[in-house]
Amino acid sequence: MNIADLTTDDVANAAELWREAGLSRPWNPPERDIERALSGEMSTVLGGFDDRGLVATVMVGHDGHRGWVYYLAVTDRCRGTGLGKRMLEAAEQWLRERGAVKVQLMVRSGNDSVLGFYEHLGYEDADVQVRAKWLI
Ligand SMILES: CC(C)(COP(=O)(O)OP(=O)(O)OC[C@H]1O[C@@H](n2cnc3c(N)ncnc32)[C@H](O)[C@@H]1OP(=O)(O)O)[C@@H](O)C(=O)NCCC(=O)NCCS
């Protein structure tokens, strides 16, 4: 698997992967999220590509204080083969290269099955509650 920034040509495939992985929500059109991250100077979406095309993604960004990871996904047929770990490590390296000293991520309530994966890779419970407000 090669890892590279997505381009606008990959948007539809990434959106489909997120739908398949259960990461999309009706109020967050994936295409818009991808295009926003790709156009930011301190954010990107990394894609993992094998000979059949896009098989994994991770969105990564540095907000000036912390690094954040979103939309980590591996296509169903490739799970359990180390690709999720490689994508997360690529996101961590992207952040390190931009001066981030800590990376954080959010796991939706109900997606408890991924908690073991993150814990295995060194992600601890940060003991915080997240609050959010729409600005548009
Ligand atoms: C979460 C996800 C990205 C993991 O990707 P993956 O390619 O299947 O995981 P990997 O094969 O890279 O696993 C890496 C390591 O974690 C371990 N691991 C995986 N799932 C685990 C679990 N639930 N508990 C403990 N360890 C786990 C693996 O055994 C492997 O260990 P090793 O490196 O010592 O061999 C994938 O399952 C996925 O796309 N899920 C749906 C989307 C999703 O929920 N994303 C997270 C949003 S917060």
Side-chain angles (χ1 to χ4, degrees):
M1 180 180 73
N2 294 320
I3 300 176
D5 292 301
L6 294 192
T7 69
T8 49
D9 291 345
D10 303 310
V11 170
N13 287 338
E16 181 52 34
L17 173 54
W18 294 357
R19 284 191 191 97
E20 172 204 296
L23 298 183
S24 300
R25 291 295 180 273
W27 55 88
N28 258 7
E31 293 83 359
R32 195 181 61 192
D33 282 2
I34 297 168
E35 283 163 8
R36 195 188 298 113
L38 290 181
S39 65
E41 285 182 18
M42 290 302 274
S43 58
T44 193
V45 186
L46 301 175
F49 299 85
D50 72 6
D51 50 8
R52 286 197 266 177
L54 183 72
V55 293
T57 62
V58 62
M59 182 185 286
V60 57
H62 186 358
D63 66 13
H65 180 53
R66 296 291 189 228
W68 284 92
V69 163
Y70 302 90
Y71 289 114
L72 177 68
V74 174
T75 195
D76 206 33
R77 68 179 164 81
C78 296
R79 288 187 196 161
T81 63
L83 302 192
K85 178 180 178 178
R86 282 187 58 197
M87 295 305 292
L88 195 53
E89 289 175 346
E92 292 168 4
Q93 185 56 27
W94 188 99
L95 288 166
R96 252 185 231 106
E97 288 168 5
R98 287 156 182 83
V101 296
K102 190 172 185 182
V103 57
Q104 305 185 157
L105 55 84
M106 294 180 280
V107 176
R108 281 201 185 99
S109 300
N111 197 10
D112 296 352
S113 62
V114 300
L115 294 175
F117 166 81
Y118 286 123
E119 193 173 323
H120 187 67
L121 298 180
Y123 286 73
E124 300 169 338
D125 182 354
D127 194 23
V128 294
Q129 291 192 36
V130 176
R131 295 286 181 273
K133 175 183 175 181
W134 289 101
L135 298 177
I136 54 168

